[in-house]
Amino acid sequence: MINLAILISGRGSNMRAILKFASKKKTINPVIVISNNHLAPGIKIASKFGIQTEIIENTKDQNVYDKKLLTTLKKYDVTPKNGLICLAGFMRILSNDFIKKYKNRIINIHPSLLPAFHGLNAQKQAIQYGVKYSGCTVHLVDSGIDTGPIILQAITKVDEHDNIVSLSKKILSKEHQIYVRAIELFAAKKICIKGRIVKINK
Ligand code: GAR
């Protein structure tokens, strides 16, 4: 069983999908939802699921923030041995030291087919570039921005009438599917990481 920490900044729809999925799985144990924004609508949703929530408001000093994060993770027993940290719309960069401590134990969902359109407003970037297909990616977090080894991806067709809103909606429904799948694979120890290549064991 893995202890899950879910980090959010806003709406929390991926978090909701994870909590719903985990409620049916014995191997996934969500223990804490952490937000860097006390106004995040996701916090109320987490409470409805009966999961503990903690607010760690943004600080300018990265080390101060990550120290608080480490203390909170320890408090809820999310360790580099038994834990998994899921970034679910968490709009804050983690320090290299923090990422090293939880090496291969932090995953993120990103609304594009990485390595295309990393960073902010991925759906807008895709529309403006004129791609015919986009999608989403679950990846391990490394020291770069959306550069870590890719675990799963899903494709979405970009139609001529699509705009940022409609494309985001289509991508989001795929995000909810692959994020829980990646967590399930992780909990089942089916993810094998060699350098930047992730193999899924059968
Ligand atoms: C999702 O689309 C997620 O992929 C994106 O933020 C949204 C959060 O939605 N994350 C990033 O862009 C990270 N670079 P949610 O709060 O409803 O899960």
Side-chain angles (χ1 to χ4, degrees), residues 5-98:
I6 308 170
L7 274 53
I8 64 167
S9 298
R11 181 176 54 185
S13 74
N14 277 289
M15 175 209 70
R16 183 208 296 265
I18 296 167
L19 293 177
K20 201 173 159 201
F21 185 78
S23 68
K24 294 176 262 167
K25 297 277 165 190
K26 286 192 181 138
T27 52
I28 305 166
N29 181 30
V31 287
I32 182 68
V33 168
I34 301 169
S35 178
N36 62 337
N37 167 19
H38 70 280
L39 297 173
I43 298 165
K44 278 196 183 140
I45 302 171
S47 301
K48 278 190 192 153
F49 276 86
I51 184 161
Q52 297 281 331
T53 59
E54 295 266 0
I55 313 294
I56 308 177
E57 289 289 359
N58 284 328
T59 57
K60 273 197 188 145
D61 188 323
Q62 182 92 57
N63 291 329
V64 170
Y65 194 89
D66 289 358
K67 222 173 164 186
K68 287 184 183 178
L69 202 52
L70 283 172
T71 307
T72 306
L73 292 168
K74 206 171 165 194
K75 178 176 163 192
Y76 290 92
D77 194 30
V78 181
T79 72
K81 280 203 168 150
N82 69 0
L84 179 66
I85 300 169
C86 299
L87 309 184
F90 184 65
M91 297 308 190
R92 196 187 156 89
I93 290 167
L94 298 164
S95 64
N96 285 346
D97 279 354
F98 182 91

Side-chain angles (χ1 to χ4, degrees), residues 10-15 88-89 91 108-111 119 123 146 172 175:
R11 181 176 54 185
S13 74
N14 277 289
M15 175 209 70
M91 297 308 190
N108 181 42
I109 181 90
H110 183 76
Q123 304 93 330
D146 303 322
L172 193 64
E175 291 184 33

Side-chain angles (χ1 to χ4, degrees), residues 181 185 188-193 198-202:
R181 177 72 184 133
L185 289 168
K189 295 189 167 58
K190 287 190 176 170
I191 289 177
C192 172
I193 306 152
V198 174
K199 285 197 176 144
I200 311 286
N201 295 329
K202 293 235 166 106

Side-chain angles (χ1 to χ4, degrees), residues 160-197:
E160 271 177 21
H161 62 262
D162 269 326
N163 53 35
I164 299 166
V165 174
S166 64
L167 179 62
S168 301
K169 203 173 160 193
K170 288 201 282 192
I171 292 175
L172 193 64
S173 81
K174 300 265 172 153
E175 291 184 33
H176 297 163
Q177 293 168 31
I178 63 166
Y179 212 176
V180 299
R181 177 72 184 133
I183 294 167
E184 184 180 36
L185 289 168
F186 194 95
K189 295 189 167 58
K190 287 190 176 170
I191 289 177
C192 172
I193 306 152
K194 283 205 180 126
R196 68 158 300 113
I197 306 301

